[in-house]
Amino acid sequence: MRLLVTADLHYNHARSRPVAIDLIDRMNQAGGDALLVAGDTAVADGDWLERCLERFTIRGPRLFLCGNHELWTHSADSHALFTEDLPRRVRALGWHWLEGDPWIGGDIAVVGTMGWYDYTFASPALAIPKRFYEAGMSPAAAEYLKRGDLLGDRADIPESARGVMARWNDAKFIHLHRSDETFLNQRLADFSAGLNAAAGARHLVAATHCVPYAELLPPRKSNQWEFARAYLGSPKLGEVISSHANVSHVFCGHSHFPAQARLGRIDAVNIGSGYGWKTFCELEIGTLADNEG
């Protein structure tokens, strides 16, 4: 089977859409036996998601993972979007909703989760207290926004953190009604169950939207970018993947930075698409069942 994989199309974004269209055209021309889109296709509000997915003409299984941007909304409950609305919409287009529902064909299985973050990847050099990550804003941003509830007496805010001006907009546009760590633990439980269900497959591909291994993170940049590292994923995702002996390949996105790593028996790839550029990967693996094509 020849599997095509991409992520972070951000189709609703004006700058991103033309390069996403070009990428989709190139993927359609390249062909393939199956397709995996690993999150951040488009926000749920409006019909951008449908408009993007309908552009793909590749026949065979089309596998979809949600990303954090699908949960951005101005009015709706993001958790209800994730558990009810988005799965319905994606399936109505003829795509396979991969979260909690592994795809198995022939001797191949693809298991996926959006994953989430728990601030484990936060930069230790900044030493920003956890409450700022929970609020999605750095100490300088909290100062600007007059968030006295976060600043307190400032005694635990080191000098290294006080000048960092940054926000993480998931905190503004996503409404999960539970902590990030609780949501991640729910994703980990479903992901592990899916990997167990697919354990009999000879070839097992794991996919996450958020980054599962530190080796797939982008290089260190400015303090603003360092603040964002807290939201790029969690090593707990990698621990779940690595605990399943027959996983051979892992794909992720989210960070907009391409990376590859050989981690024991696992070939791990961060797709690396960004707003101004798009990429896709091809994987030749196993044999696709005749009734799956």
Side-chain angles (χ1 to χ4, degrees), residues 121-186:
F121 287 145
S123 171
L126 294 181
I128 293 175
K130 182 178 178 181
R131 65 183 181 276
F132 291 97
Y133 290 116
E134 291 173 333
M137 64 182 70
S138 67
E143 186 84 50
Y144 178 78
L145 295 170
K146 300 183 177 3
R147 288 290 302 272
D149 58 313
L150 294 175
L151 295 167
D153 63 6
R154 296 169 174 78
D156 66 342
I157 307 173
E159 199 63 38
S160 60
R162 295 186 184 186
V164 179
M165 176 67 77
R167 295 191 69 182
W168 184 253
N169 279 327
D170 280 4
K172 182 178 180 181
F173 294 113
I174 295 180
H175 318 291
L176 290 172
H177 309 293
R178 65 209 68 212
S179 71
D180 290 324
E181 290 167 285
T182 296
F183 188 59
L184 171 63
N185 287 335
Q186 292 168 344

Side-chain angles (χ1 to χ4, degrees), residues 239-262:
E239 290 167 7
V240 168
I241 294 168
S242 297
S243 69
H244 288 77
N246 55 341
V247 176
S248 58
H249 294 80
V250 175
F251 294 96
C252 73
H254 188 46
S255 71
H256 298 189
F257 182 84
Q260 298 184 39
R262 178 73 180 181

Side-chain angles (χ1 to χ4, degrees), residues 66-233:
C66 187
N68 57 308
H69 275 258
E70 273 85 1
L71 304 187
W72 281 30
T73 180
H74 289 285
S75 58
D77 177 336
S78 296
H79 196 262
L81 280 176
F82 178 67
T83 57
E84 300 172 18
D85 185 60
L86 284 167
R88 175 186 56 78
R89 289 166 61 182
V90 167
R91 290 167 178 149
L93 294 169
W95 286 65
H96 183 103
W97 176 265
L98 199 57
E99 187 87 34
D101 187 12
W103 176 84
I104 301 173
D107 59 358
I108 311 156
V110 181
V111 183
T113 182
M114 171 171 59
W116 206 245
Y117 41 77
D118 57 1
Y119 328 129
T120 308
F121 287 145
S123 171
L126 294 181
I128 293 175
K130 182 178 178 181
R131 65 183 181 276
F132 291 97
Y133 290 116
E134 291 173 333
M137 64 182 70
S138 67
E143 186 84 50
Y144 178 78
L145 295 170
K146 300 183 177 3
R147 288 290 302 272
D149 58 313
L150 294 175
L151 295 167
D153 63 6
R154 296 169 174 78
D156 66 342
I157 307 173
E159 199 63 38
S160 60
R162 295 186 184 186
V164 179
M165 176 67 77
R167 295 191 69 182
W168 184 253
N169 279 327
D170 280 4
K172 182 178 180 181
F173 294 113
I174 295 180
H175 318 291
L176 290 172
H177 309 293
R178 65 209 68 212
S179 71
D180 290 324
E181 290 167 285
T182 296
F183 188 59
L184 171 63
N185 287 335
Q186 292 168 344
R187 307 280 61 73
L188 292 169
D190 288 348
F191 191 32
S192 184
L195 288 164
N196 286 332
R202 182 179 177 188
H203 304 282
L204 182 52
V205 177
T208 66
H209 177 64
C210 294
V211 179
Y213 296 108
E215 290 85 351
L216 299 181
L217 290 171
R220 299 187 180 279
K221 300 181 182 179
S222 66
N223 283 342
Q224 286 74 20
W225 280 101
E226 286 297 281
F227 178 77
R229 287 173 73 89
Y231 306 99
L232 294 185

Side-chain angles (χ1 to χ4, degrees), residues 1-5 24-36 56-63 103 108 280-285 288-289 292-293:
M1 181 182 81
R2 184 162 164 258
L3 175 67
L4 305 187
V5 187
I24 294 168
D25 288 346
R26 288 191 284 119
M27 292 180 73
N28 287 337
Q29 291 167 10
D33 300 304
L35 168 66
L36 168 63
F56 286 98
T57 59
I58 296 170
R59 295 185 176 183
R62 291 173 293 173
L63 316 178
W103 176 84
I108 311 156
F280 73 95
C281 297
E282 301 181 32
L283 174 64
E284 292 276 359
I285 186 171
L288 186 67
E292 295 290 345

